[in-house]
Amino acid sequence: MRPAGFRNFLLLVSSVLIVGLSAVPQSFSPSLRSGTGAPCRLSRAESERRCRAPGQPPGSALCHGRGRCDCGVCICHVSEPGVYFGPLCECHEWVCETYDGSTCAGHGKCDCGKCKCQEGWFGDACQYPIHCDLTKKKSNQMCKNSQDVICSNAGTCHCGRCKCDNPDGNGLVYGKFCECDDRECIDDETEEICGGHGKCYCGNCYCGSGWHGDKCEFQCDITPWESKRRCTSPDGKICSNRGTCVCGECSCHDVDPTGDWGDIHGDTCECDERDCRAVYDRYSDDFCSGHGQCNCGRCDCKVGWYGKKCEHPRSCPLSAEESIRKCQGSSDLPCSGRGKCECGKCTCYPPGDRRVYGKTCECDDRRCEGLDGTVCGGHGTCSCGHCVCETGWFGKLCQHPRKCNMTEEQSKSLCESADGILCSGKGSCHCGKCICSAEEWYISGELCDCDDRDCDKHDGLICTGNGICSCGNCECWDGWNGNACEIWLGTEYP
C-alpha cells in the first residue's frame, strides 16, 4: 500500500499536465485527424471549445469571428492576406495604429496589431500623455482644424491631441482632428459600409468595379472599360475634365438652377456655354452679346456682327442674299465650303494657311498632296488645287507613269476592290493604279473608294472650314474636333 503523500503527488502531476496541454496553442496541437479527409476525433462541442477565446461561453463567436473552426483548429480567413492571424485569429492587422505618421506615436511597441504603450502614455496609438504640461489655451490651439474648430466638433481635446467620440467603440470617427466620419458611408438599408461593395475613406465611399452611388448602392450593367469609352470626350479626356463618369454617363459638374441643362453640358460635358458670355453671370441669358447663338461654347454671330462673342458691329451695304451670291462664285457653297462669307468677301480657312486661296476660296492646294505629304507625287507642280505633271507622268497626283512594265492581268489585280470591281466602278486602271473620274471631284482613294461628299458639314461648310475631308472623314486642324470639326478645344479662339 502506497503512502497518501505519494498519491497526492500523482494527482498534482496529472492536473498540471492536463492544464498544460489545454494551454498549448492550437497551431502546435498534434493533428486530431488520422489522415486527410478522415473524420475528426473530437466531438463538435470539444472542437468548438478549442476554437473559442478563453472564458467565452458556448454559442459565442468561434475564432474571434475571423475564421472557421476545423477540428479544434482555427483556419483564419485568407481573403485579405496577413490581416488575421494567431492560434485563435485573435491578432488583427499587421500594422498598429499610427498617429501623425508614426506607429504607436513613437511612444509604444506594436504587438499583435495593438500598441503596448510606454509608461506615461495611453491611447490606441499611444498618442495621449498621462500628464500634460500644456496650458488649456495652447492645448486647444493645437486641436483646431483648418476652420478653427476644436476636433471638428467630433471629439475632445486632450493635451493638444484630439480624442474622437466613438461611444460604440467602432472607431468610425478618426483623424488627427476627428475630421473623418465613416458613419457617412453606412447604407441605411443594409447597415453595411458602402453597401458591402466598396471601401470607406474619411467618410467617402470608393466603389468596387461595377458599382456606383454615394454608398455604392447601384450596380452597373456594363464593364468599366465600356463605361470609360462612353465617357471619353473628343479631346480624349474623361467627361472633358468637367464631370464624373457614372456607369458610362457623364454627370457634368455644373447644374443649372432652373433644372434645364447647365452651362456645362453635352454627352461628355464637352460644351461650356460660359465661353459665349462677355461677362459671366449664370443667371443671365446674355449669350454672344445678344447678337448671336451659342453652339457648344462657340458663338455663331448674326449678320452684321463678328468677334469671339459677337461683340463687334460690322457695317455692310449688301443684303444677306447679295453677300452670299458674291461669295459663291461658280460653287454651290459660299466660299467653296472652305471659308466664311462676310459682306460678299471670303475669309479662307484655316486662317494663315496659304494653300487655300482665291476670291471664293476655290483653290485648295492641299488636294495636290498625297498621303505621305508629297506634292503631286514629286512629279509635277500644283496650280489652284490641280497638279501639272512633268513629261512621262499623269494622274490627279502625277502618280502614274506613262510607260508600264506589267501585264494587263497584273495591273487589273492591283486595281480590284474587295468586291472584285475595278477601281470601285468609279475610275480606270493604269499600270496597277486607279485613275478616278475627273468629272467627279469628290471621288478619291487608291481604289476610288472614297466619297468626300460624306464629310459632315456645319453652317454649310465642309468640315466647318476647320479641317480637310479625307476619304469621307474630316481631319481637323489643331485645336478643332468633332465629326465636322465644329468643336473648338484650343485655349484661344481663332
Side-chain angles (χ1 to χ4, degrees):
M1 185 173 180
R2 300 183 189 275
F6 183 73
R7 286 197 305 272
N8 292 336
F9 173 74
L10 288 177
L11 289 172
L12 178 61
V13 170
S14 61
S15 63
V16 169
L17 286 172
I18 291 171
V19 172
L21 286 173
S22 63
V24 174
Q26 306 297 328
S27 56
F28 296 100
S29 298
S31 174
L32 294 173
R33 297 181 187 274
S34 56
T36 304
C40 180
R41 289 184 286 170
L42 294 176
S43 66
R44 180 177 178 179
E46 177 61 19
S47 174
E48 291 183 353
R49 185 190 69 79
R50 295 188 178 210
C51 289
R52 279 194 298 272
Q56 293 295 313
S60 57
L62 301 178
C63 306
H64 286 81
R66 300 165 180 165
R68 63 182 177 85
C69 184
D70 183 18
C71 197
V73 177
C74 283
I75 309 296
C76 302
H77 293 310
V78 294
S79 58
E80 298 179 63
V83 173
Y84 304 130
F85 60 102
L88 294 175
C89 306
E90 70 274 17
C91 296
H92 186 199
E93 299 181 3
W94 293 103
V95 181
C96 284
E97 293 285 341
T98 62
Y99 179 80
D100 206 15
S102 298
T103 302
C104 301
H107 304 300
K109 182 180 180 183
C110 186
D111 182 20
C112 193
K114 292 185 178 180
C115 289
K116 286 190 174 181
C117 302
Q118 297 171 357
E119 188 176 351
W121 294 88
F122 72 101
D124 292 339
C126 304
Q127 70 270 45
Y128 306 119
I130 294 175
H131 302 289
C132 184
D133 297 328
L134 300 176
T135 64
K136 187 174 181 180
K137 182 178 179 181
K138 179 64 174 177
S139 175
N140 288 342
Q141 190 64 35
M142 291 174 65
C143 287
K144 288 182 178 180
N145 62 15
S146 57
Q147 285 79 38
D148 282 338
V149 179
I150 295 175
C151 299
S152 307
N153 284 335
T156 55
C157 185
H158 182 89
C159 199
R161 294 168 173 82
C162 287
K163 191 173 184 180
C164 304
D165 294 334
N166 281 290
D168 299 331
N170 49 25
L172 293 179
V173 181
Y174 58 96
K176 186 175 181 180
F177 301 106
C178 303
E179 70 275 14
C180 296
D181 188 350
D182 284 358
R183 292 174 298 185
E184 298 291 331
C185 294
I186 297 176
D187 189 285
D188 296 332
E189 294 183 4
T190 64
E191 296 186 352
E192 290 185 277
I193 296 288
C194 300
H197 307 298
K199 291 186 178 294
C200 185
Y201 298 100
C202 203
N204 294 293
C205 281
Y206 293 82
C207 305
S209 178
W211 293 88
H212 62 97
D214 290 340
K215 296 177 182 177
C216 307
E217 67 270 35
F218 302 116
Q219 190 170 14
C220 187
D221 57 357
I222 59 176
T223 65
W225 301 111
E226 177 63 16
S227 176
K228 182 179 179 181
R229 185 191 69 78
R230 293 185 187 182
C231 289
T232 301
S233 54
D235 59 356
K237 298 174 183 176
I238 301 298
C239 298
S240 306
N241 282 349
R242 301 189 189 108
T244 305
C245 183
V246 179
C247 201
E249 294 184 1
C250 285
S251 175
C252 302
H253 291 324
D254 185 81
V255 179
D256 191 87
T258 63
D260 199 356
W261 73 16
D263 292 320
I264 298 173
H265 62 94
D267 290 341
T268 56
C269 307
E270 70 276 12
C271 300
D272 192 344
E273 305 298 326
R274 295 174 298 182
D275 293 338
C276 290
R277 294 175 178 175
V279 178
Y280 179 64
D281 178 2
R282 68 167 301 130
Y283 297 99
S284 169
D285 290 329
D286 183 23
F287 290 108
C288 304
S289 306
H291 306 301
Q293 184 176 357
C294 188
N295 179 23
C296 196
R298 175 187 175 188
C299 282
D300 292 332
C301 301
K302 294 178 181 177
V303 175
W305 294 88
Y306 72 101
K308 185 178 179 180
K309 294 181 175 67
C310 306
E311 67 271 31
H312 302 300
R314 186 192 306 278
S315 58
C316 180
L318 302 177
S319 66
E321 293 77 13
E322 290 174 326
S323 175
I324 291 176
R325 195 181 306 117
K326 280 198 169 189
C327 289
Q328 280 182 328
S330 59
S331 174
D332 293 332
L333 294 172
C335 304
S336 306
R338 305 185 189 103
K340 187 174 184 179
C341 181
E342 296 173 320
C343 199
K345 293 184 179 180
C346 288
T347 302
C348 302
Y349 286 151
D353 193 336
R354 295 184 178 182
R355 293 175 298 176
V356 182
Y357 55 96
K359 189 176 181 180
T360 59
C361 304
E362 69 275 12
C363 297
D364 188 350
D365 286 355
R366 296 171 299 185
R367 294 191 173 279
C368 293
E369 297 177 0
L371 295 175
D372 59 356
T374 305
V375 177
C376 299
H379 306 297
T381 56
C382 187
S383 175
C384 196
H386 299 283
C387 285
V388 180
C389 302
E390 298 172 351
T391 303
W393 295 87
F394 73 102
K396 274 188 177 181
L397 298 177
C398 303
Q399 72 272 40
H400 303 297
R402 294 196 178 275
K403 292 183 179 180
C404 185
N405 298 321
M406 61 177 67
T407 64
E408 186 176 354
E409 289 75 13
Q410 290 174 325
S411 175
K412 287 182 177 180
S413 66
L414 295 174
C415 291
E416 286 184 355
S417 54
D419 54 6
I421 300 176
L422 286 178
C423 301
S424 306
K426 300 173 183 176
S428 58
C429 183
H430 177 79
C431 202
K433 293 186 178 181
C434 287
I435 304 173
C436 302
S437 171
E439 297 178 358
E440 299 173 301
W441 62 267
Y442 43 82
I443 299 299
S444 61
E446 291 185 2
L447 299 176
C448 303
D449 50 348
C450 298
D451 191 336
D452 287 352
R453 291 176 299 181
D454 293 336
C455 274
D456 288 333
K457 298 177 183 178
H458 189 72
D459 292 341
L461 301 177
I462 296 175
C463 303
T464 323
N466 303 320
I468 187 173
C469 187
S470 175
C471 200
N473 294 300
C474 288
E475 292 184 0
C476 306
W477 310 126
D478 289 342
W480 294 93
N481 213 318
N483 292 334
C485 305
E486 76 278 19
I487 300 174
W488 171 249
L489 299 175
T491 54
E492 186 175 346
Y493 195 79

